Amino acid sequence: MNHTEIKLMSIAGARPNFMKLASIAHAVHTHNASASGQTVSIKHVIVHTGQHYDEKMSHQFFDDLGIPKPDINLEVGSGTHACQTAEIMKRFEPVLLQESPDALLVVGDVNSTIACTLVAAKIDYGLSGRRRPVIIHVEAGLRSFDHGMPEEVNRILTDRISDMLFITEESGLINLQNEGVAPGKIHFSGNVMIDTLCRHLVKAKNSNIKNRLGITGSYGLVTLHRPSNVDSPDALRSLLECLAGISQRLRLIFPVHPRTRGKIQEFGLLPLLDVAPGLQLAEPLGYLDFLHLTSNATLVLTDSGGIQEETTYLNVPCITLRENTERPVTVTVGSNYLIGVEPGRIIETVEKILSGQGKQSRIPELWDGKAGERIVRDILVHGFGLA
Ligand code: UD1
């Protein structure tokens, strides 16, 4: 019996990547342990770019999610978009040449995603028969149509130069078709982030985060980190004042992203929070603690992308503090309210939910915990012609 080994390199850089990588790592492990893994095995090499580096933004997720330790860490750290992207590219190129994987898998839309994809698209291994890796983009096709968002630029460019595009929802298929992507490149896999959620829900139930934060009774959960919401003093002040108002009605728990914490300090907005005892700030939380809080929240107020999907799966009302979403299925099928940042509308939506008139979500197609398995199978079959 002939044995074939495919070398797959996966990239993770920032917090929202780790949940997606966890699903892929688990699916690879499951494949290798199965009967078909006897004939075609996958050697999985994990590269962490170091875009996120704080214990609470990075390492804790590897522990919580049981992801194997990265084989390589590029340790790039923070910087402007250009500096961060360029630094990742500079440090990644020699690693890619050295390892020469058969396939490179990137997830999501962060700077690490586009930086590594761009390197891989132009690399030349100098090997006979294989110049570069097959490039695989997981969570492809999402579009906010807002080119002012750095992530939108990253998404469009990454999709353009990837070979296999795995989509999470039907809008991804429509967007890619409209952009002229060959149908054979597009694969509807479902949602790897939901795989990880399904696998950790029971463990998350046992988290004692509510005790640690002194939470009793009902509460809302808040996250904010988008540049459009936190990088201008006026926008951030308006949102914090609105949250302070809501917190008189419903206690709010707000684990603060380092970027947002920095801006609150820089703009001198701390006094606003001192007079709002119902608005409780916390450090960024690990995956299991955050999932515990999301599952039990009365509602969530957020500008995150992934949280719109997690709340949809969990049927928890989500108020998205943005003008657009690249994940429209969370609005059409899920429990997401896309309402922007106007305080009157935010308060009105909170009141609607608190009065029991919130919408019920259904679970989108193929968000069934098996996306990672489908992706691994499709990579072998369609990427390498292997069964
Ligand atoms: C990045 C992603 C965004 C994702 C978010 C999740 C891009 C363009 N943006 O935004 O899509 O939703 O991650 O968090 O890739 N910082 C720390 N410690 C860390 C990481 C960051 O203190 O471990 C601080 C630094 O001051 C840094 C700032 O946060 O300058 C922003 O970090 P950066 O990686 O540039 O972008 P995010 O806002 O985290």
Side-chain angles (χ1 to χ4, degrees), residues 300 302 308 311 316-322 330-331 334-340 345 349-350 352-353 357-360:
V300 175
T302 189
Q308 297 172 50
T311 47
V316 171
C318 178
I319 300 177
T320 296
L321 306 172
R322 289 173 46 188
T330 61
V331 177
S335 51
N336 190 15
Y337 296 82
L338 181 67
I339 58 150
R345 271 203 86 192
T349 312
V350 168
K352 192 169 165 182
I353 294 166
Q357 296 169 59
K359 56 181 177 177
Q360 293 292 312

Side-chain angles (χ1 to χ4, degrees), residues 14-16 51-54 57 78-79 81 84 109-112 150-151 154 225-226 257-259:
R15 184 168 63 175
Q51 176 174 348
H52 283 175
Y53 44 87
D54 279 358
M57 297 293 287
S78 301
H81 285 280
Q84 190 176 57
D109 54 17
V110 302
N111 287 343
S112 301
E151 294 82 358
N154 294 343
H225 76 281
R226 292 268 158 231
H257 188 288
R259 166 191 206 100

Side-chain angles (χ1 to χ4, degrees), residues 136-151:
I136 299 152
H137 185 204
V138 170
E139 202 186 82
L142 297 179
R143 297 289 181 268
S144 67
F145 302 102
D146 174 359
H147 289 241
M149 279 179 85
E151 294 82 358

